[in-house]
Amino acid sequence: TDAEVNTRRKTFTEVQAERLEQAERTVLIKCPSKLNEKKLLQYLSSHGSIKSHFFFENRGIHALIEFSEKDSIASLQDAVGVPSSAEHHVPFKSRLFTFTLKNPVSQAAGETPVHLSPQSPVPVKELIKKLCHADSVSSQMYILLNEYQLTEENIKLRFLACSLVRDFARAYFPDSTVKPFGSSVNSFGRLGCDVDMFLDFCDTQKQAAKVKKGPFEMEFQMKRLPSERLATQKILSVIGDCLDNFAPGCVNIQKILNARCPLVKFSHQPTGFQCDLSVSNSIAIRSSELLYIYGCLDPRVRALVFTVRCWARVHGLTNSVPGSWITNFSLTMMVMFFLQKRSPPIIPTLDQLKELAGEKDKHIIGGYDCSFVSDLSKIKPTKNTETLDELLGDFFQYFGNFDFRKNSINLRKGKEVNKPESSPLYIWNPFEQDLNISKNVNQPQLEKFIAMARESAWILQKEDKTQQTIDKELWGLAALLVPFGKSNPNKMKNRVKGIGSETIRSLLDSLKLNNASSLQKAVGK
């Protein structure tokens, strides 16, 4: 997209700051059903010039309006009245408005329907139809990427949702900001994914600078609590209640305060997003930026990640509910690792990015070194010219035959390393290096992944495209996005056979051991 190209060489932090500032100049309007776009924009322009706008469908038509000046919003708010219906309303004046026509009849003539920006991805069945018209697996992958990636409009809506939550947080903490992290900003988000947002309190850098001036050590008197965790829980609990009680369109609020990372989940109806709010987590931000950098370095990176994640979803390897499934984050890291291992590599290792880090890029967080270069122009472009056709087949081949029992995946080094402990799948957390990001994955899930990878490698290999186009059959990527075993269940069984037997053998071995030890105990008694 044009937006991507414009932001291509800005650092992650610059892009974030721009989008947050943009969101502060933005309002959301629920429009009348008979909508005259020209009249609406004409009226709004009386409050100040409009920089951009778009319409979308979400139980009625909504317009996102970005003004050039923040003051225009106050001017518009002054003109807006409170709801006139009989029930009582919480008198919080937000940037969400409902417009209805005063006399609908006279204005209905000459309607042209407005263009609506899609906010959710096409269903897989429709996607498959589009893929069959492409001329190579590579084009199919770019089509998939285009259908699924976040649009410019959708990103604006995500930042607006954060900005609206920030308006509530500021009632308590006037310098706070609410920023998105994770898939909304790391360039790997899919239309329809949740918005992860966190609450940030004033810049610590500013604080450090202040302290140096004047003859006194000066500090605010603040309420003391025994732990940071407790403070986080109290803050989130109160802001959760505040959203629940006063925020228009925030529904289904759930506080999950005892999680490893305490959070508040809620639905934001005006934008249609499912949101997770937590308190500033610097390491999560570093992970978002690292992925953003990898996504910017080469277009093949995002195309491969989106394809592999779509493939995993279709085959039930990933799941929207937490459990023993592989997560999208783990899958993304597996793709990154695979791209680091190409010859020549398509993306650098994390250690190489750390070597390039300047003074400003130094980040030590909770004792972990999270430094890496943020200026994209300092990273040399890859010399690798492999096509996505080759890369996709090789990805399945590589992980279909990976020695998961012995090796772990380490993105710092870009090498397989001996597993530090016996989890079935071990992927080093790039920053908190004593953590395995795939600790939740169990043996059966890993084996299902291996079986599906082998099957997919096989389907791509046997394919003779000329033959396929004559038969108008599903080919290439399209053939990988339908459940396997439908066309020929026997073939699938053969490829799984080799795997299952290992598991059965290891089960028998462990039973023997258990029996032996219980025998010994019995004899001992």
mmCIF file of all heavy atoms in Angstrom, residues 252-291:
data_model
loop_
_atom_site.group_PDB
_atom_site.id
_atom_site.type_symbol
_atom_site.label_atom_id
_atom_site.label_comp_id
_atom_site.label_asym_id
_atom_site.label_seq_id
_atom_site.Cartn_x
_atom_site.Cartn_y
_atom_site.Cartn_z
ATOM 1 N N ASN A 252 -18.816 -5.867 27.836
ATOM 2 C CA ASN A 252 -18.205 -7.166 28.181
ATOM 3 C C ASN A 252 -16.828 -7.001 28.799
ATOM 4 O O ASN A 252 -15.851 -7.584 28.320
ATOM 5 C CB ASN A 252 -18.068 -8.072 26.947
ATOM 6 C CG ASN A 252 -19.392 -8.256 26.235
ATOM 7 O OD1 ASN A 252 -20.448 -8.142 26.858
ATOM 8 N ND2 ASN A 252 -19.341 -8.498 24.947
ATOM 9 N N ILE A 253 -16.753 -6.197 29.845
ATOM 10 C CA ILE A 253 -15.452 -5.950 30.475
ATOM 11 C C ILE A 253 -15.087 -7.118 31.376
ATOM 12 O O ILE A 253 -15.891 -7.518 32.221
ATOM 13 C CB ILE A 253 -15.503 -4.632 31.269
ATOM 14 C CG1 ILE A 253 -16.029 -3.561 30.339
ATOM 15 C CG2 ILE A 253 -14.168 -4.341 31.942
ATOM 16 C CD1 ILE A 253 -15.342 -2.309 30.187
ATOM 17 N N GLN A 254 -13.919 -7.680 31.164
ATOM 18 C CA GLN A 254 -13.431 -8.759 32.034
ATOM 19 C C GLN A 254 -12.096 -8.340 32.593
ATOM 20 O O GLN A 254 -11.195 -7.986 31.828
ATOM 21 C CB GLN A 254 -13.164 -10.020 31.217
ATOM 22 C CG GLN A 254 -14.350 -10.792 30.754
ATOM 23 C CD GLN A 254 -13.836 -11.876 29.798
ATOM 24 O OE1 GLN A 254 -13.508 -11.592 28.646
ATOM 25 N NE2 GLN A 254 -13.714 -13.089 30.274
ATOM 26 N N LYS A 255 -11.952 -8.415 33.913
ATOM 27 C CA LYS A 255 -10.644 -8.119 34.508
ATOM 28 C C LYS A 255 -9.930 -9.442 34.743
ATOM 29 O O LYS A 255 -10.485 -10.320 35.403
ATOM 30 C CB LYS A 255 -10.816 -7.415 35.836
ATOM 31 C CG LYS A 255 -11.532 -6.096 35.752
ATOM 32 C CD LYS A 255 -11.584 -5.528 37.149
ATOM 33 C CE LYS A 255 -12.535 -4.381 37.263
ATOM 34 N NZ LYS A 255 -12.630 -3.951 38.659
ATOM 35 N N ILE A 256 -8.735 -9.573 34.202
ATOM 36 C CA ILE A 256 -7.955 -10.792 34.438
ATOM 37 C C ILE A 256 -6.688 -10.347 35.151
ATOM 38 O O ILE A 256 -5.631 -10.164 34.540
ATOM 39 C CB ILE A 256 -7.659 -11.502 33.094
ATOM 40 C CG1 ILE A 256 -8.985 -11.745 32.364
ATOM 41 C CG2 ILE A 256 -6.927 -12.824 33.317
ATOM 42 C CD1 ILE A 256 -8.864 -12.227 30.959
ATOM 43 N N LEU A 257 -6.832 -10.100 36.461
ATOM 44 C CA LEU A 257 -5.763 -9.403 37.182
ATOM 45 C C LEU A 257 -4.723 -10.353 37.762
ATOM 46 O O LEU A 257 -3.658 -9.925 38.190
ATOM 47 C CB LEU A 257 -6.361 -8.521 38.284
ATOM 48 C CG LEU A 257 -7.335 -7.440 37.759
ATOM 49 C CD1 LEU A 257 -7.893 -6.621 38.906
ATOM 50 C CD2 LEU A 257 -6.663 -6.525 36.737
ATOM 51 N N ASN A 258 -5.018 -11.665 37.759
ATOM 52 C CA ASN A 258 -4.036 -12.591 38.341
ATOM 53 C C ASN A 258 -3.157 -13.276 37.299
ATOM 54 O O ASN A 258 -2.346 -14.124 37.625
ATOM 55 C CB ASN A 258 -4.738 -13.632 39.207
ATOM 56 C CG ASN A 258 -5.291 -12.982 40.456
ATOM 57 O OD1 ASN A 258 -4.653 -12.091 41.025
ATOM 58 N ND2 ASN A 258 -6.489 -13.357 40.863
ATOM 59 N N ALA A 259 -3.309 -12.879 36.037
ATOM 60 C CA ALA A 259 -2.470 -13.456 34.979
ATOM 61 C C ALA A 259 -1.011 -13.021 35.173
ATOM 62 O O ALA A 259 -0.742 -12.092 35.934
ATOM 63 C CB ALA A 259 -2.970 -12.985 33.618
ATOM 64 N N ARG A 260 -0.093 -13.696 34.464
ATOM 65 C CA ARG A 260 1.332 -13.313 34.530
ATOM 66 C C ARG A 260 1.457 -11.839 34.177
ATOM 67 O O ARG A 260 2.215 -11.087 34.777
ATOM 68 C CB ARG A 260 2.140 -14.174 33.550
ATOM 69 C CG ARG A 260 3.658 -14.050 33.712
ATOM 70 C CD ARG A 260 4.381 -15.050 32.813
ATOM 71 N NE ARG A 260 4.626 -14.502 31.481
ATOM 72 C CZ ARG A 260 5.767 -13.932 31.107
ATOM 73 N NH1 ARG A 260 6.770 -13.836 31.953
ATOM 74 N NH2 ARG A 260 5.912 -13.469 29.888
ATOM 75 N N CYS A 261 0.673 -11.436 33.172
ATOM 76 C CA CYS A 261 0.611 -10.015 32.819
ATOM 77 C C CYS A 261 -0.856 -9.580 33.011
ATOM 78 O O CYS A 261 -1.698 -9.907 32.171
ATOM 79 C CB CYS A 261 1.053 -9.864 31.357
ATOM 80 S SG CYS A 261 0.980 -8.169 30.804
ATOM 81 N N PRO A 262 -1.169 -8.891 34.128
ATOM 82 C CA PRO A 262 -2.569 -8.533 34.402
ATOM 83 C C PRO A 262 -3.175 -7.715 33.267
ATOM 84 O O PRO A 262 -2.483 -6.887 32.677
ATOM 85 C CB PRO A 262 -2.464 -7.684 35.678
ATOM 86 C CG PRO A 262 -1.170 -8.069 36.300
ATOM 87 C CD PRO A 262 -0.250 -8.389 35.160
ATOM 88 N N LEU A 263 -4.455 -7.972 32.935
ATOM 89 C CA LEU A 263 -5.064 -7.207 31.847
ATOM 90 C C LEU A 263 -6.567 -7.060 32.017
ATOM 91 O O LEU A 263 -7.188 -7.763 32.831
ATOM 92 C CB LEU A 263 -4.735 -7.836 30.488
ATOM 93 C CG LEU A 263 -5.471 -9.096 30.044
ATOM 94 C CD1 LEU A 263 -5.441 -9.211 28.537
ATOM 95 C CD2 LEU A 263 -4.856 -10.335 30.642
ATOM 96 N N VAL A 264 -7.132 -6.120 31.262
ATOM 97 C CA VAL A 264 -8.578 -5.934 31.194
ATOM 98 C C VAL A 264 -8.990 -6.169 29.753
ATOM 99 O O VAL A 264 -8.458 -5.538 28.841
ATOM 100 C CB VAL A 264 -8.961 -4.497 31.623
ATOM 101 C CG1 VAL A 264 -10.452 -4.262 31.403
ATOM 102 C CG2 VAL A 264 -8.597 -4.250 33.074
ATOM 103 N N LYS A 265 -9.934 -7.101 29.537
ATOM 104 C CA LYS A 265 -10.443 -7.376 28.192
ATOM 105 C C LYS A 265 -11.790 -6.673 28.034
ATOM 106 O O LYS A 265 -12.583 -6.669 28.966
ATOM 107 C CB LYS A 265 -10.691 -8.883 27.999
ATOM 108 C CG LYS A 265 -9.457 -9.738 27.880
ATOM 109 C CD LYS A 265 -9.844 -11.212 27.794
ATOM 110 C CE LYS A 265 -9.717 -11.753 26.382
ATOM 111 N NZ LYS A 265 -8.357 -11.708 25.843
ATOM 112 N N PHE A 266 -12.041 -6.112 26.864
ATOM 113 C CA PHE A 266 -13.361 -5.538 26.610
ATOM 114 C C PHE A 266 -13.626 -5.457 25.120
ATOM 115 O O PHE A 266 -12.704 -5.552 24.307
ATOM 116 C CB PHE A 266 -13.495 -4.146 27.261
ATOM 117 C CG PHE A 266 -12.511 -3.124 26.731
ATOM 118 C CD1 PHE A 266 -12.864 -2.249 25.711
ATOM 119 C CD2 PHE A 266 -11.229 -3.041 27.267
ATOM 120 C CE1 PHE A 266 -11.956 -1.310 25.230
ATOM 121 C CE2 PHE A 266 -10.313 -2.106 26.786
ATOM 122 C CZ PHE A 266 -10.682 -1.239 25.763
ATOM 123 N N SER A 267 -14.914 -5.324 24.781
ATOM 124 C CA SER A 267 -15.296 -5.101 23.381
ATOM 125 C C SER A 267 -15.511 -3.612 23.191
ATOM 126 O O SER A 267 -16.224 -3.007 24.001
ATOM 127 C CB SER A 267 -16.598 -5.809 23.070
ATOM 128 O OG SER A 267 -16.381 -7.181 23.048
ATOM 129 N N HIS A 268 -14.935 -3.072 22.141
ATOM 130 C CA HIS A 268 -15.165 -1.663 21.843
ATOM 131 C C HIS A 268 -16.128 -1.600 20.661
ATOM 132 O O HIS A 268 -15.720 -1.705 19.501
ATOM 133 C CB HIS A 268 -13.837 -0.967 21.519
ATOM 134 C CG HIS A 268 -13.964 0.526 21.476
ATOM 135 N ND1 HIS A 268 -13.978 1.240 20.296
ATOM 136 C CD2 HIS A 268 -14.125 1.435 22.468
ATOM 137 C CE1 HIS A 268 -14.131 2.532 20.570
ATOM 138 N NE2 HIS A 268 -14.217 2.680 21.871
ATOM 139 N N GLN A 269 -17.401 -1.453 20.960
ATOM 140 C CA GLN A 269 -18.421 -1.565 19.905
ATOM 141 C C GLN A 269 -18.300 -0.548 18.769
ATOM 142 O O GLN A 269 -18.466 -0.921 17.614
ATOM 143 C CB GLN A 269 -19.819 -1.506 20.518
ATOM 144 C CG GLN A 269 -20.192 -2.813 21.185
ATOM 145 C CD GLN A 269 -21.554 -2.755 21.861
ATOM 146 O OE1 GLN A 269 -21.951 -1.716 22.368
ATOM 147 N NE2 GLN A 269 -22.254 -3.862 21.870
ATOM 148 N N PRO A 270 -17.999 0.726 19.073
ATOM 149 C CA PRO A 270 -17.973 1.692 17.970
ATOM 150 C C PRO A 270 -16.954 1.325 16.875
ATOM 151 O O PRO A 270 -17.231 1.519 15.688
ATOM 152 C CB PRO A 270 -17.576 3.002 18.652
ATOM 153 C CG PRO A 270 -17.946 2.816 20.089
ATOM 154 C CD PRO A 270 -17.761 1.371 20.384
ATOM 155 N N THR A 271 -15.801 0.781 17.261
ATOM 156 C CA THR A 271 -14.809 0.410 16.245
ATOM 157 C C THR A 271 -14.931 -1.063 15.879
ATOM 158 O O THR A 271 -14.357 -1.512 14.890
ATOM 159 C CB THR A 271 -13.374 0.657 16.756
ATOM 160 O OG1 THR A 271 -13.204 -0.062 17.984
ATOM 161 C CG2 THR A 271 -13.101 2.129 16.979
ATOM 162 N N GLY A 272 -15.642 -1.836 16.709
ATOM 163 C CA GLY A 272 -15.805 -3.265 16.433
ATOM 164 C C GLY A 272 -14.635 -4.122 16.903
ATOM 165 O O GLY A 272 -14.578 -5.306 16.575
ATOM 166 N N PHE A 273 -13.710 -3.568 17.676
ATOM 167 C CA PHE A 273 -12.540 -4.350 18.101
ATOM 168 C C PHE A 273 -12.730 -5.026 19.453
ATOM 169 O O PHE A 273 -13.403 -4.505 20.334
ATOM 170 C CB PHE A 273 -11.284 -3.463 18.196
ATOM 171 C CG PHE A 273 -10.799 -2.952 16.874
ATOM 172 C CD1 PHE A 273 -10.642 -1.587 16.658
ATOM 173 C CD2 PHE A 273 -10.491 -3.832 15.844
ATOM 174 C CE1 PHE A 273 -10.202 -1.103 15.439
ATOM 175 C CE2 PHE A 273 -10.043 -3.355 14.617
ATOM 176 C CZ PHE A 273 -9.897 -1.988 14.410
ATOM 177 N N GLN A 274 -12.094 -6.161 19.585
ATOM 178 C CA GLN A 274 -11.921 -6.827 20.856
ATOM 179 C C GLN A 274 -10.589 -6.281 21.393
ATOM 180 O O GLN A 274 -9.593 -6.317 20.686
ATOM 181 C CB GLN A 274 -11.817 -8.332 20.539
ATOM 182 C CG GLN A 274 -12.033 -9.303 21.654
ATOM 183 C CD GLN A 274 -13.191 -8.966 22.560
ATOM 184 O OE1 GLN A 274 -14.306 -8.818 22.100
ATOM 185 N NE2 GLN A 274 -12.917 -8.817 23.835
ATOM 186 N N CYS A 275 -10.550 -5.735 22.608
ATOM 187 C CA CYS A 275 -9.333 -5.080 23.104
ATOM 188 C C CYS A 275 -8.811 -5.727 24.378
ATOM 189 O O CYS A 275 -9.596 -6.208 25.199
ATOM 190 C CB CYS A 275 -9.604 -3.604 23.390
ATOM 191 S SG CYS A 275 -10.274 -2.708 21.980
ATOM 192 N N ASP A 276 -7.487 -5.722 24.529
ATOM 193 C CA ASP A 276 -6.830 -6.168 25.759
ATOM 194 C C ASP A 276 -5.975 -5.015 26.256
ATOM 195 O O ASP A 276 -5.041 -4.607 25.554
ATOM 196 C CB ASP A 276 -5.885 -7.359 25.489
ATOM 197 C CG ASP A 276 -6.650 -8.648 25.258
ATOM 198 O OD1 ASP A 276 -7.891 -8.609 25.316
ATOM 199 O OD2 ASP A 276 -6.015 -9.692 24.997
ATOM 200 N N LEU A 277 -6.264 -4.527 27.452
ATOM 201 C CA LEU A 277 -5.504 -3.405 28.007
ATOM 202 C C LEU A 277 -4.619 -3.892 29.138
ATOM 203 O O LEU A 277 -5.093 -4.544 30.066
ATOM 204 C CB LEU A 277 -6.483 -2.342 28.523
ATOM 205 C CG LEU A 277 -5.887 -1.135 29.254
ATOM 206 C CD1 LEU A 277 -5.082 -0.249 28.303
ATOM 207 C CD2 LEU A 277 -6.977 -0.310 29.929
ATOM 208 N N SER A 278 -3.319 -3.596 29.058
ATOM 209 C CA SER A 278 -2.412 -3.943 30.153
ATOM 210 C C SER A 278 -1.569 -2.714 30.480
ATOM 211 O O SER A 278 -1.741 -1.663 29.864
ATOM 212 C CB SER A 278 -1.529 -5.124 29.762
ATOM 213 O OG SER A 278 -0.934 -4.899 28.507
ATOM 214 N N VAL A 279 -0.660 -2.851 31.448
ATOM 215 C CA VAL A 279 0.185 -1.707 31.801
ATOM 216 C C VAL A 279 1.559 -1.894 31.179
ATOM 217 O O VAL A 279 2.044 -3.013 31.057
ATOM 218 C CB VAL A 279 0.263 -1.510 33.334
ATOM 219 C CG1 VAL A 279 1.379 -0.568 33.718
ATOM 220 C CG2 VAL A 279 -1.061 -0.964 33.840
ATOM 221 N N SER A 280 2.160 -0.775 30.780
ATOM 222 C CA SER A 280 3.414 -0.739 30.030
ATOM 223 C C SER A 280 4.306 -1.957 30.200
ATOM 224 O O SER A 280 4.687 -2.325 31.300
ATOM 225 C CB SER A 280 4.212 0.495 30.442
ATOM 226 O OG SER A 280 5.431 0.476 29.721
ATOM 227 N N ASN A 281 4.647 -2.563 29.075
ATOM 228 C CA ASN A 281 5.493 -3.741 29.083
ATOM 229 C C ASN A 281 6.563 -3.503 28.017
ATOM 230 O O ASN A 281 6.336 -3.701 26.836
ATOM 231 C CB ASN A 281 4.626 -4.961 28.754
ATOM 232 C CG ASN A 281 5.444 -6.218 28.563
ATOM 233 O OD1 ASN A 281 6.674 -6.177 28.435
ATOM 234 N ND2 ASN A 281 4.772 -7.345 28.523
ATOM 235 N N SER A 282 7.719 -3.008 28.476
ATOM 236 C CA SER A 282 8.745 -2.558 27.528
ATOM 237 C C SER A 282 9.241 -3.690 26.640
ATOM 238 O O SER A 282 9.569 -3.480 25.486
ATOM 239 C CB SER A 282 9.938 -1.973 28.276
ATOM 240 O OG SER A 282 9.504 -1.254 29.386
ATOM 241 N N ILE A 283 9.286 -4.915 27.197
ATOM 242 C CA ILE A 283 9.810 -6.018 26.383
ATOM 243 C C ILE A 283 8.854 -6.338 25.236
ATOM 244 O O ILE A 283 9.282 -6.602 24.114
ATOM 245 C CB ILE A 283 10.120 -7.250 27.265
ATOM 246 C CG1 ILE A 283 11.369 -6.932 28.094
ATOM 247 C CG2 ILE A 283 10.334 -8.493 26.405
ATOM 248 C CD1 ILE A 283 11.967 -8.073 28.858
ATOM 249 N N ALA A 284 7.557 -6.250 25.511
ATOM 250 C CA ALA A 284 6.573 -6.501 24.446
ATOM 251 C C ALA A 284 6.730 -5.482 23.322
ATOM 252 O O ALA A 284 6.576 -5.805 22.143
ATOM 253 C CB ALA A 284 5.165 -6.468 25.014
ATOM 254 N N ILE A 285 7.052 -4.241 23.681
ATOM 255 C CA ILE A 285 7.261 -3.197 22.673
ATOM 256 C C ILE A 285 8.488 -3.519 21.835
ATOM 257 O O ILE A 285 8.494 -3.347 20.620
ATOM 258 C CB ILE A 285 7.492 -1.825 23.351
ATOM 259 C CG1 ILE A 285 6.254 -1.408 24.120
ATOM 260 C CG2 ILE A 285 7.826 -0.759 22.316
ATOM 261 C CD1 ILE A 285 5.102 -1.079 23.250
ATOM 262 N N ARG A 286 9.549 -3.991 22.493
ATOM 263 C CA ARG A 286 10.772 -4.342 21.757
ATOM 264 C C ARG A 286 10.476 -5.485 20.770
ATOM 265 O O ARG A 286 10.960 -5.477 19.640
ATOM 266 C CB ARG A 286 11.904 -4.745 22.711
ATOM 267 C CG ARG A 286 12.380 -3.635 23.627
ATOM 268 C CD ARG A 286 12.865 -2.401 22.892
ATOM 269 N NE ARG A 286 14.187 -2.512 22.308
ATOM 270 C CZ ARG A 286 14.647 -1.715 21.342
ATOM 271 N NH1 ARG A 286 13.883 -0.761 20.854
ATOM 272 N NH2 ARG A 286 15.858 -1.871 20.862
ATOM 273 N N SER A 287 9.689 -6.463 21.200
ATOM 274 C CA SER A 287 9.324 -7.567 20.293
ATOM 275 C C SER A 287 8.530 -7.045 19.104
ATOM 276 O O SER A 287 8.755 -7.480 17.970
ATOM 277 C CB SER A 287 8.471 -8.606 21.020
ATOM 278 O OG SER A 287 9.221 -9.194 22.040
ATOM 279 N N SER A 288 7.609 -6.102 19.369
ATOM 280 C CA SER A 288 6.815 -5.536 18.268
ATOM 281 C C SER A 288 7.734 -4.833 17.273
ATOM 282 O O SER A 288 7.574 -4.967 16.064
ATOM 283 C CB SER A 288 5.794 -4.521 18.790
ATOM 284 O OG SER A 288 4.973 -5.091 19.782
ATOM 285 N N GLU A 289 8.704 -4.086 17.803
ATOM 286 C CA GLU A 289 9.605 -3.349 16.916
ATOM 287 C C GLU A 289 10.521 -4.290 16.133
ATOM 288 O O GLU A 289 10.777 -4.080 14.951
ATOM 289 C CB GLU A 289 10.450 -2.332 17.695
ATOM 290 C CG GLU A 289 11.450 -1.645 16.769
ATOM 291 C CD GLU A 289 12.095 -0.375 17.319
ATOM 292 O OE1 GLU A 289 11.863 -0.022 18.496
ATOM 293 O OE2 GLU A 289 12.846 0.262 16.551
ATOM 294 N N LEU A 290 10.978 -5.348 16.795
ATOM 295 C CA LEU A 290 11.852 -6.313 16.110
ATOM 296 C C LEU A 290 11.117 -6.915 14.912
ATOM 297 O O LEU A 290 11.660 -6.974 13.797
ATOM 298 C CB LEU A 290 12.276 -7.420 17.081
ATOM 299 C CG LEU A 290 13.139 -8.524 16.460
ATOM 300 C CD1 LEU A 290 14.496 -7.968 16.031
ATOM 301 C CD2 LEU A 290 13.331 -9.691 17.432
ATOM 302 N N LEU A 291 9.875 -7.337 15.120
ATOM 303 C CA LEU A 291 9.104 -7.917 14.022
ATOM 304 C C LEU A 291 8.835 -6.874 12.947
ATOM 305 O O LEU A 291 8.883 -7.169 11.755
ATOM 306 C CB LEU A 291 7.791 -8.513 14.537
ATOM 307 C CG LEU A 291 7.955 -9.842 15.277
ATOM 308 C CD1 LEU A 291 6.630 -10.325 15.841
ATOM 309 C CD2 LEU A 291 8.529 -10.917 14.351
#
